[in-house]
């Protein structure tokens, strides 16, 4: 028996691979500040729970394969509010944005075909692209440029005869980069001119911390309807990750048919969660305003905390709820293990996602980390203190640095 | 832009492709007896709903990627009741049996590698195998042999250097074939001797209509632990299809690691549904006894109804809740369209799943159908009357047969 080549090409999740060490540390009485997973702590709107409590069908049946019609209507109405008109067939409901990405990759990638993705990127993209036999062609960026990638020549230089798609996350995970209108238009033009799919993972759309961005979506560009695939989800928008409700949104008819075949093969998305998700769309825009204001404060806390640590390189992220930073350590993976196994500051330690798996290019990101600012203000403040103490102790005990910072 | 080769190799679901015609027929006031989808009508145990109503976490968070620990414990306890001992890592919770199959295929199949599957088989297997670039090598059977396939030479003759796995459904969908102990042992031996994965889709395990079968599972064979992959689900066992909770169960460590990587990439199965599913495992075996007795009565109703129709070839299925039958029509796909668009018997018509998509071999199954006996007794009786009337009318009006039966 043997494991498939594509499965062997995938890596364990960097956000989750330290889970066993974390469990052991907690067993030993350590308190861990979890900055490793983008699991928001904000309350899910009560409409979700009310709806599922009122579910009164005696048999929990499959729902329609392309998605519950009420949920599809709710999503269309939400997009209408963004100025985007969708037909019912343009929305295919999926088990989270994760399934939306997997089914899109299975639908458009053949073995050895390529997807251009700015790096660092969400590491699970690797699994989705590799599952389909595809190859990630990384578009390099740098911490000292704030990880920005939207330059025409940079992107076009990565296009080959094997390129099938450009995949961007906007706002970006892990970088927090948000594209402005001109940048979005430029990338849309590239996709159109080169006849490529443009996969836009816009699950963090509501989290942009400068009003000039509004609620950005590529879906407003009518002229790239055949190219565009939007990856959507209720997870972050409504703080409802455990619902596992997302969508592939596309007007490309061939792609709709292909994704629908995969949707039919897995019968339906969870029935009750779809009804709960439909109810979520009834919450007003104040909900988004409140969430955004809260995350903006948290971002400011994390950024000022990071900037107080000598040797950290970080730019202020403009969206999502992550910050990618370069730390003054030799290897953030090794540092994370050490934080869990060897270190505590008055019983506390901290988890982040080590940077290397966010890169395709070998050797990049080794001293970088992704921090998810999804904890309460005072917990974040404490987490930054613990991180600062951890870096200082690690430099001294493991790296044998004698000055207070490796830059110093 | 182009659609992937593997997506193009998939077909729309035969169980769901007539959905638009059905909607149109219902709009025109027709009543449709749905025998096309294996959606049980039995009530889901109230424990499910009670649990989800009592869910009281304010934030609907991701659950653990390999599955909720309480659910994994419940599954292990259930298997212990079958005489099978499982470690927590042997169970990977998935979004239904569907995801269990997809992740298994992605984990063990490379392009052009083969899976041996007795045909007719559950058509969605095609999509899962094709998604991974694999090829189905069909093991032929015949209606007049009751679709039985468990003969060593028949199975071994399909093994090639590209074979990675044997996939069986036991009890069978669509055929209702149940393997006896000797047949199970023989297939286990083949997998072991030829170093193949043995994927056993056992989601209908509780539905065997002869006591000699007990509750069959390959998991009792300790000597094939490295070969065996059990596909499991709460959908049929607890009449809870809409929960979308299933599992990959395997003791093969390499496969566990591969499937876990895919599980991590999609973060988690729906949180609330996993808690509901864990509660389902608290219902006693009386629940299974009652369900089985009900389905056995329904099977008898369908079989006697079918046997009253001249020209129908059918054997009594011994498990699951499907019967595959050969009808005296030229083309069951064409017949289904006609039933929805042209026919009614006092306002009633009937839906089944046309047979051809259950076969890999071109030309086979064209006049066969799969009937899911998932309706109440009196509805099934009426459905059989409508089917008989439909066949008679179709023979006369479309096939221009003048005698009462094409066999007559």
């Amino acid at each position: 028996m043997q494991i498939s080549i594509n499965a062997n090409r995938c890596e364990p999740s960097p956000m989750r691979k330290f889970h066993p060490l974390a469990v052991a540390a907690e067993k030993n009485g350590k308190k861990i500040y979890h900055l490793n997973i983008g699991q928001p702590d904000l309350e899910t709107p009560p409409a979700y729970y009310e709806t599922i409590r009122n579910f009164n069908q005696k048999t929990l049946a499959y729902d329609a394969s392309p998605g519950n019609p009420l949920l599809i209507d709710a999503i269309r109405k939400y997009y209408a509010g963004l100025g985007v008109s969708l037909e019912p067939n343009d929305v295919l409901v999926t088990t989270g944005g994760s399934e939306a990405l997997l089914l899109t990759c299975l639908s458009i990638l053949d073995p050895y075909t390529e997807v251009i993705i700015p790096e660092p990127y969400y590491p699970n993209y690797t699994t989705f692209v590799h599952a389909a036999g595809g190859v990630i062609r990384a578009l390099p960026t740098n911490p000292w440029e704030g990880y920005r990638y939207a330059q025409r020549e940079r992107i076009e230089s990565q296009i080959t005869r094997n390129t099938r798609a450009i995949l961007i996350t906007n706002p970006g995970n892990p970088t927090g980069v948000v594209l402005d209108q001109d940048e979005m238009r430029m990338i849309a033009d590239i996709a159109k001119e080169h006849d490529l799919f443009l996969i836009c993972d816009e699950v963090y759309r509501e989290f942009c911390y400068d009003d000039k961005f509004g609620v950005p979506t590529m879906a407003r560009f009518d002229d790239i309807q055949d190219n565009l695939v939007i990856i959507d989800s209720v997870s972050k928008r409504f703080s409802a990750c455990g619902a596992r409700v997302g969508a592939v949104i596309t007007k490309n008819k061939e792609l709709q048919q292909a994704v629908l075949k995969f949707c039919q093969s897995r019968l339906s998305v969870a029935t009750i969660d779809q009804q709960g998700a439909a109810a979520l769309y009834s919450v007003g825009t104040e909900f988004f305003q409140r969430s955004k204001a809260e995350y903006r404060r948290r971002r400011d806390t994390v950024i000022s905390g990071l900037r107080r640590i000598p040797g950290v390189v970080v730019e202020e992220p403009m969206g999502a709820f992550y910050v990618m930073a370069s730390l003054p350590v030799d290897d953030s993976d090794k540092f994370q293990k050490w934080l869990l196994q060897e270190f505590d500051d008055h019983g506390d330690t901290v988890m982040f996602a080590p940077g290397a798996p966010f890169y395709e290019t070998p050797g990049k990101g080794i001293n970088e980390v992704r921090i998810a600012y999804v904890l309460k203000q005072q917990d974040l403040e404490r987490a930054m203190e613990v991180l600062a103490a951890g870096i200082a102790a690690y430099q001294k005990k493991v790296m044998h640095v004698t000055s207070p910072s490796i830059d110093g």
Side-chain angles (χ1 to χ4, degrees), chain A:
Chain A
M1 284 102 55
Q2 62 191 92
I3 298 303
S4 71
I5 295 165
N6 287 334
N8 280 330
R9 291 169 68 216
C10 299
E11 296 292 334
S13 165
M15 283 82 87
R16 290 166 179 262
K17 71 175 179 174
F18 290 108
H19 181 69
L21 294 188
V23 170
E26 279 168 343
K27 227 175 222 165
N28 292 333
K30 270 189 211 178
K31 177 175 168 62
I32 301 175
Y33 289 92
H34 283 275
L35 308 175
N36 52 317
I37 294 190
Q39 166 58 62
D41 68 329
L42 299 192
E43 289 184 14
T44 310
Y48 189 91
Y49 296 114
E50 283 158 22
T51 302
I52 69 166
R53 271 186 213 114
N54 291 328
F55 185 86
N56 63 1
Q57 291 162 28
K58 300 219 166 193
T59 303
L60 183 57
Y62 294 122
D63 213 322
S65 292
N68 179 285
L70 290 177
L71 173 57
I72 291 175
D73 275 356
I75 293 172
R76 291 171 63 212
K77 208 170 146 194
Y78 159 84
Y79 272 87
L82 300 178
V84 175
S85 168
L86 296 177
E87 299 299 314
N89 289 342
D90 300 343
V91 181
L92 289 149
V93 177
T94 55
T95 302
S98 306
E99 195 193 37
L101 284 158
L102 177 62
L103 300 191
T104 299
C105 289
L106 290 175
S107 296
I108 67 172
L109 297 181
D110 290 315
Y112 309 109
T113 60
E114 296 173 0
V115 185
I116 296 170
I117 312 181
E119 69 176 358
Y121 54 80
Y122 179 54
N124 291 327
Y125 289 163
T126 311
T127 306
F128 304 134
V129 171
H130 287 189
V135 175
I136 292 177
R137 184 122 179 164
L139 188 67
T141 68
N142 292 298
W144 54 89
E145 293 177 319
Y147 303 101
R148 303 200 65 84
Y149 57 88
Q151 294 167 14
R152 181 181 267 270
E153 56 284 10
R154 241 201 235 197
I155 298 171
E156 286 189 319
S157 71
Q158 301 295 337
I159 297 174
T160 73
R161 61 196 300 178
N162 297 319
T163 308
R164 286 281 171 87
I166 299 169
L167 165 52
I168 61 168
T169 326
N170 188 44
N173 169 12
T175 63
V177 167
V178 183
L179 301 173
D180 67 27
Q181 278 300 308
D182 291 345
E183 291 172 325
M184 285 170 67
R185 184 64 253 177
M186 181 269 290
I187 293 172
D189 288 343
I190 293 176
K192 199 176 157 187
E193 288 164 24
H194 294 270
D195 202 27
L196 300 174
F197 281 110
L198 177 56
I199 307 169
C200 293
D201 182 343
E202 298 186 349
V203 301
Y204 298 99
R205 187 187 288 145
E206 270 74 20
F207 305 95
C208 293
Y209 306 119
D210 187 322
D211 290 342
K212 76 174 178 188
F213 294 119
V215 182
T217 175
M218 287 277 192
R220 295 198 187 94
F221 297 136
D222 283 337
D223 62 323
I224 55 160
Q225 292 194 349
D226 263 2
N227 307 78
L228 189 64
V229 190
I230 301 274
I231 304 299
D232 205 347
S233 167
V234 304
S235 295
K236 319 294 173 172
R237 181 173 301 145
F238 298 111
S239 206
C241 297
R244 310 311 298 126
V245 174
V248 173
I249 292 172
T250 183
K251 289 181 176 283
N252 182 307
K253 296 285 171 202
E254 281 189 292
L255 183 57
Q256 285 176 11
Q257 285 307 308
V259 174
L260 180 59
K261 286 191 280 187
F262 290 114
C263 288
Q264 288 182 335
S265 77
R266 55 69 163 139
L267 308 168
S268 96
V269 173
T271 299
I272 291 181
D273 301 273
Q274 288 192 76
Q275 298 200 1
L280 287 174
Y281 279 95
S282 65
V283 306
T285 48
E286 332 68 81
F287 177 81
F288 302 133
Q289 294 305 326
R290 268 205 318 277
S291 306
K292 189 158 82 169
E294 175 65 26
Y295 282 116
R296 190 193 284 119
R297 278 191 297 273
R298 293 174 177 191
R299 176 198 63 173
D300 296 345
T301 301
V302 167
I303 290 294
S304 67
L306 287 172
R307 286 190 171 149
R308 274 195 295 270
I309 304 174
V312 167
V313 179
V314 66
E315 292 290 320
E316 186 176 62
M318 299 307 288
F321 33 67
Y322 306 100
V323 53
M324 194 82 183
S326 166
L327 302 188
V329 296
D330 52 351
D331 180 335
S332 57
D333 204 273
K334 198 173 127 195
F335 178 47
Q336 176 67 85
K337 263 183 225 148
W338 182 86
L339 283 173
L340 288 168
Q341 296 185 315
E342 313 283 336
F343 173 80
D344 74 88
D345 183 75
H346 299 90
D348 297 348
T349 193
V350 65
M351 279 180 88
F352 44 72
F358 292 80
Y359 287 87
E360 178 71 10
T361 309
K364 287 198 82 173
I366 284 175
N367 67 342
E368 293 171 45
V369 299
R370 185 194 76 169
I371 287 170
Y373 41 97
V374 291
L375 302 181
K376 278 177 202 50
Q377 203 66 6
Q378 70 186 67
D379 287 341
L380 279 177
E381 281 169 19
R382 174 65 188 141
M384 289 300 111
E385 280 174 21
V386 176
L387 179 63
I391 289 174
Y394 181 83
Q395 288 179 333
K396 196 171 155 194
K397 292 187 187 166
V398 181
M399 295 170 67
H400 308 292
V401 176
T402 46
S403 65
S405 140
I406 58 167
D407 289 331

